[in-house]
Amino acid sequence: MAERLHDDQLDDYLDDQLDDYLHFRAAGMSLVLDCTSGLLPRVVHWGADLGELTGDALATLARTEAAQVMSCSLDDPVPVSVLPQQSAGWLGTPGLTGHRDGEDFSSAFTVRSVRSDADTDAGAGDGPVRHRLIVDAVDSHAELALTLEIEVTGSGLVRQRATLTNESDRPYTVDGLLLTLPAPGQATELLDLTGRHLRERAPQRHEFTLGTHLRENRRGRTGIDATLVHVAGESGFGFRTGEVWGLHVAWSGNHRSLAERTPAGVRLLGGGETLLPGEVRLPAGGFYASPWVYGSYGHGLDELAGRFHGYLRDRAHHPSTPRPVTLNTWEAVYFQQDLTKLKALADAAAEVGTERFVLDDGWFLGRRDDTAGLGDWYVDKGVWPDGLHPLVDHVRALDMQFGLWFEPEMVNPDSDLARTHPEWIMATGGRTPPAARHQQVLDLGHPEAYAYLLERLDALVTEYRIDYIKWDHNRDLVDAGHSPRGTAGVHAQTTAVYRLIDELRARHPGLEIESCSSGGGRVDLGILERTDRVWASDCIDALERQQIQRWTGLLLPPELLGAHVGSPVAHTTGRTHTLDFRAGTALFGHFGIEWDLTLASAEERARLAEWVSAYKELRSLLHTGTVVHADHPDPALWLHGVVAPDRSRAVYAVVQTATGVQSPPGRVRLPGLDPDAVYRLSPLPPGNRPEGPTDSQLPWWRGDKVELAGRVLATAGVQAPALYPERLVLIEARRA
């Protein structure tokens, strides 16, 4: 057990190591931390860059923030640290909840040591860090040690995590570990995301009222209804307007985020893992590490999202090769796998310019529909008497990569695996959990189950030289107990999945993996430390995808967001859309195809090939540039785009999602350009064919030379073409 320092010793110790106040700056963002008095760090300011400040100025800033003591309150102001503690007077949601058989329920940490450095490399798997603070603290009475890491990335993200260690011989049960960042008084409105299967990332906004707005997920995966980013901002904030502060929990299991406001004027955003009873019980010397919790500040949602995008792109393992045009077979053939049909589909895919061919569900033992076979990861000789080699060889002869679908964490009761090892099914209380899609969850907390999956995946990737895995996860974890005692097992399942993916990729360094989970049910920065893109939704209806991709983009840049061209009639909604609307929607992601091209006409395939060619020409811009959106008064008219890093070029989509409130639609602004540079504006093929309720041509669309300054285009804008609902066009701006 660490020895507690006396106050005078502690002051001298800290003075030798660190200034009382720290000011971390990056990319127009400032984070000011109060590290005085041996208490856990407290955020004095998180937001817009404050410029260069001396130590005296920082101390003065902290003094000017101090509030008066009001009636019926504690005698001294309550310091709210990044891990709030009731022992300091905080009566909101506590940072640490836990106990030692009912004792030590309230922590009182005292800082023992602090370390700070700048312009460092965060190590394997993480993006570069510009500033890092590491704080070691102890609660000598409760015999607990805490290590707190606070980092500022080069893109201006703030991220933090905590590690709790039990320094007693008696076990300590952790119920929760929550880390927070403050929002200022002008943050009066909240935005978070919700959704359901086939309709992920639906925004909801409301007042930041007194009390706690809690978004808690107990689905065992990130969740189709999960909020990617919990945002507080100035009233009426938009993509380009208003200050905003957002928080993301980088965890793929149960988790929570909250926005909390007290009558004393405190506003907090906080997050962490949601732990089920007894999941984390620390023996002597045992420790629990929280997920990373990320905070992003911006003037408008575009800047907030841009910090996440910049961080992800700075990672050493971020996809660096051009994102290949990907055809997935699911909506083309479903379970009806036939070599002749699939070879014809591969031929059609190659004809339009596809670069990766992915065989979806149905290839393994006993898998003729979704009621059987999951867990039996052997190629079904009844369908594939020569294995997958004839198809793989054909695909590679067409100069395409080969990918394969798996759902490793699930098992059908009707499978050889479940019949042989029923104890590997997650369950508790002597009962079988409710089925979902005729399947149960394979408990990776069993070392033998983990080893089985690793061997099967490794063997198949090796035999077929698989380039890409579509890693699916199609059900929530209900009654997710670990046998034989039936203890809660979601935490262990999540960490085991991380280990499994990490080990598989270590064995196959070139392997790429997509995170799919009933579509967009596992989208978070925890899973994206070990995967290369997400499948944003099982819904490929282009109108629905406009919203799904728009809001998934709060966290992810386009190259990590799988976006496919579906069939003319959407399988999930029954809507019919033009090819240009479907392809133009998919263009602003990792472009792919989910369509039986053997049924497409020659004209459709030729037109699709034009869009594929355009994607290949534009992807170097789309997957490195700054994502922008215009705030337009008509909710039916959207404009979004990507501006090149040097702002020499930009591509915008004008999207008519429904009938507008006025006709003609009026001007749209083109954000993100260099205000002092002159740009040549033109329609961009193949998205240069406006379909609308008029034969009259828009004067500037006809090909006349249009050159205007970036400031003019962002402020005054240009007249948008009149479009039918569910249509779009593309505009290009090039520096003249």
Side-chain angles (χ1 to χ4, degrees):
M1 183 186 74
E3 181 182 354
R4 188 184 183 96
L5 289 178
H6 296 298
D7 289 344
D8 55 346
Q9 294 174 307
L10 179 65
D11 289 342
D12 292 341
Y13 186 73
L14 292 175
D15 286 343
D16 289 341
Q17 297 186 72
L18 192 71
D19 294 334
D20 285 343
Y21 300 96
L22 293 177
H23 185 196
F24 295 158
R25 303 170 63 202
M29 185 282 304
S30 278
L31 177 72
V32 178
L33 295 169
D34 177 355
C35 298
T36 60
S37 305
L39 301 177
L40 294 178
R42 182 181 67 88
V43 176
V44 176
H45 170 84
W46 171 44
D49 190 0
L50 299 178
E52 291 287 347
L53 293 177
T54 65
D56 288 343
L58 293 173
T60 301
L61 174 65
R63 284 200 307 274
T64 61
E65 184 212 24
Q68 296 167 281
V69 175
M70 305 305 292
S71 62
C72 201
S73 64
L74 298 180
D75 291 343
D76 295 309
V78 177
V80 184
S81 71
V82 295
L83 190 143
Q85 300 182 95
Q86 189 172 116
S87 60
W90 171 249
L91 295 176
T93 302
L96 173 63
T97 49
H99 62 95
R100 204 182 306 278
D101 294 329
E103 300 176 15
D104 302 326
F105 71 93
S106 177
S107 64
F109 287 107
T110 301
V111 172
R112 294 296 308 272
S113 68
V114 287
R115 304 186 300 279
S116 176
D117 50 33
D119 296 317
T120 61
D121 181 7
D126 294 328
V129 171
R130 184 163 181 179
H131 303 282
R132 179 190 288 114
L133 177 69
I134 301 175
V135 178
D136 291 316
V138 64
D139 181 337
S140 56
H141 177 82
E143 299 182 277
L144 295 171
L146 182 78
T147 299
L148 179 66
E149 299 168 77
I150 303 175
E151 298 180 348
V152 172
T153 73
S155 68
L157 281 182
V158 177
R159 70 176 197 162
Q160 49 185 338
R161 69 178 173 186
T163 301
L164 184 75
T165 302
N166 180 20
E167 296 191 332
S168 169
D169 293 334
R170 299 167 59 202
Y172 181 85
T173 299
V174 182
D175 293 326
L177 190 54
L178 182 86
L179 296 171
T180 68
L181 287 166
Q186 58 264 40
T188 59
E189 187 175 348
L190 297 177
L191 164 71
D192 61 316
L193 305 176
T194 183
R196 58 170 174 80
H197 187 222
L198 308 178
R199 197 179 185 275
E200 296 90 335
R201 315 301 169 228
Q204 55 184 18
R205 297 175 71 140
H206 51 93
E207 184 183 353
F208 196 161
T209 53
L210 291 167
T212 303
H213 180 250
L214 174 66
R215 294 298 311 278
E216 188 162 49
N217 166 73
R218 294 176 178 269
R219 297 181 178 274
R221 52 177 171 170
T222 319
I224 294 173
D225 61 340
T227 181
L228 292 188
V229 186
H230 210 149
V231 179
E234 293 183 305
S235 180
F237 64 84
F239 283 98
R240 310 298 295 181
T241 59
E243 287 188 287
V244 288
W245 295 260
L247 180 135
H248 169 78
V249 180
W251 187 246
S252 308
N254 293 338
H255 64 279
R256 58 179 173 152
S257 67
L258 59 82
E260 189 161 83
R261 179 184 170 195
T262 74
V266 176
R267 287 172 167 85
L268 291 178
L269 297 171
E273 183 180 7
T274 294
L275 292 171
L276 298 180
E279 276 197 304
V280 175
R281 185 171 167 85
L282 302 180
F287 68 91
Y288 166 74
S290 78
W292 283 107
V293 177
Y294 289 75
S296 184
Y297 162 80
H299 187 82
L301 293 171
D302 278 349
E303 187 175 25
L304 177 147
R307 297 192 191 280
F308 285 113
H309 299 179
Y311 163 76
L312 289 164
R313 287 170 170 170
D314 283 343
R315 300 172 304 161
H317 65 280
H318 189 73
S320 58
T321 58
R323 299 293 77 210
V325 177
T326 299
L327 183 137
N328 190 75
T329 65
W330 177 243
E331 289 195 2
V333 300
Y334 292 104
F335 291 105
Q336 305 307 309
Q337 298 204 351
D338 172 80
L339 178 59
T340 301
K341 170 70 174 184
L342 288 166
K343 288 171 71 174
L345 182 59
D347 291 340
E351 176 190 331
V352 301
T354 301
E355 299 162 303
R356 175 185 285 162
F357 185 92
V358 181
L359 181 64
D360 210 288
D361 195 356
W363 56 268
F364 49 96
L365 190 64
R367 188 66 165 178
R368 304 285 65 78
D369 55 33
D370 67 357
T371 65
L374 273 180
D376 296 341
W377 300 111
Y378 298 87
V379 177
D380 193 321
K381 295 295 185 179
V383 179
W384 300 96
D386 299 314
L388 298 178
H389 292 291
L391 177 62
V392 174
D393 293 345
H394 186 77
V395 166
R396 291 226 162 87
L398 294 169
D399 199 26
M400 291 188 290
Q401 298 177 9
F402 180 76
L404 196 60
W405 179 95
F406 291 88
E407 192 172 1
E409 298 147 78
M410 302 299 156
V411 59
N412 286 124
D414 185 4
S415 66
D416 290 346
L417 182 67
R419 284 184 285 270
T420 305
H421 291 288
E423 75 279 8
W424 289 359
I425 294 176
M426 296 197 86
T428 190
R431 57 185 177 268
T432 301
R437 208 186 181 214
H438 313 287
Q439 63 195 48
Q440 296 291 344
V441 182
L442 190 66
D443 184 359
L444 300 187
H446 286 280
E448 299 84 0
Y450 177 97
Y452 165 77
L453 275 187
L454 179 59
E455 185 278 328
R456 283 289 75 221
L457 291 166
D458 181 39
L460 288 160
V461 172
T462 300
E463 179 178 358
Y464 295 106
R465 295 179 293 117
I466 294 169
D467 301 290
Y468 176 87
I469 288 177
K470 180 179 179 181
W471 188 299
D472 213 340
H473 181 288
N474 276 315
R475 64 156 294 164
D476 295 329
L477 274 59
V478 181
D479 248 10
H482 172 66
S483 65
R485 294 177 56 217
T487 53
V490 174
H491 174 80
Q493 183 81 355
T494 306
T495 57
V497 170
Y498 285 172
R499 292 197 312 274
L500 180 62
I501 298 175
D502 291 344
E503 176 60 27
L504 186 64
R505 295 195 67 158
R507 296 185 182 189
H508 303 277
L511 180 68
E512 291 196 5
I513 297 177
E514 172 185 82
S515 173
C516 176
S517 184
S518 309
R522 188 148 67 181
V523 179
D524 64 82
L525 296 190
I527 200 67
L528 275 161
E529 278 302 312
R530 40 197 51 88
T531 57
D532 301 278
R533 79 169 199 171
V534 302
W535 184 228
S537 178
D538 284 341
C539 181
I540 315 176
D541 177 307
L543 180 62
E544 298 293 333
R545 272 303 189 106
Q546 283 288 333
Q547 170 166 285
I548 292 166
Q549 293 170 199
R550 178 186 184 93
W551 295 107
T552 306
L554 273 188
L555 185 68
L556 304 185
E559 64 270 25
L560 297 182
L561 201 160
H564 290 187
V565 181
S567 58
V569 178
H571 290 208
T572 55
T573 65
R575 283 197 190 103
T576 300
H577 285 132
T578 67
L579 176 53
D580 286 353
F581 187 60
R582 284 144 48 212
T585 298
L587 181 72
F588 290 87
H590 179 178
F591 188 94
I593 302 161
E594 195 101 4
W595 178 14
D596 186 354
L597 294 179
T598 67
L599 303 179
S601 68
E603 292 77 15
E604 287 175 316
R605 289 199 298 272
R607 185 61 173 167
L608 178 59
E610 291 183 51
W611 280 99
V612 169
S613 179
Y615 166 76
K616 290 178 179 178
E617 192 276 323
L618 291 169
R619 61 187 165 190
S620 61
L621 163 63
L622 297 172
H623 297 167
T624 62
T626 302
V627 177
V628 296
H629 301 78
D631 294 314
H632 194 273
D634 185 347
L637 185 64
W638 291 5
L639 182 137
H640 65 89
V642 181
V643 181
D646 63 359
R647 297 198 286 185
S648 62
R649 186 185 184 194
V651 176
Y652 300 96
V654 179
V655 185
Q656 191 74 44
T657 63
T659 55
V661 297
Q662 69 178 47
S663 183
R667 290 176 177 265
V668 288
R669 294 173 171 176
L670 307 181
L673 302 171
D674 182 344
D676 298 319
V678 174
Y679 290 87
R680 182 176 296 112
L681 210 63
S682 60
L684 180 64
N688 60 336
R689 303 178 184 177
E691 298 178 79
T694 176
D695 293 329
S696 171
Q697 288 196 9
L698 193 63
W700 78 265
W701 198 269
R702 290 187 302 226
D704 298 338
K705 185 176 181 180
V706 176
E707 293 187 352
L708 289 168
R711 180 177 287 103
V712 175
L713 293 172
T715 304
V718 296
Q719 183 69 226
L723 300 172
Y724 289 128
E726 299 165 32
R727 303 291 197 279
L728 61 75
V729 292
L730 302 180
I731 298 172
E732 179 184 45
R734 280 186 180 269
R735 185 180 283 134

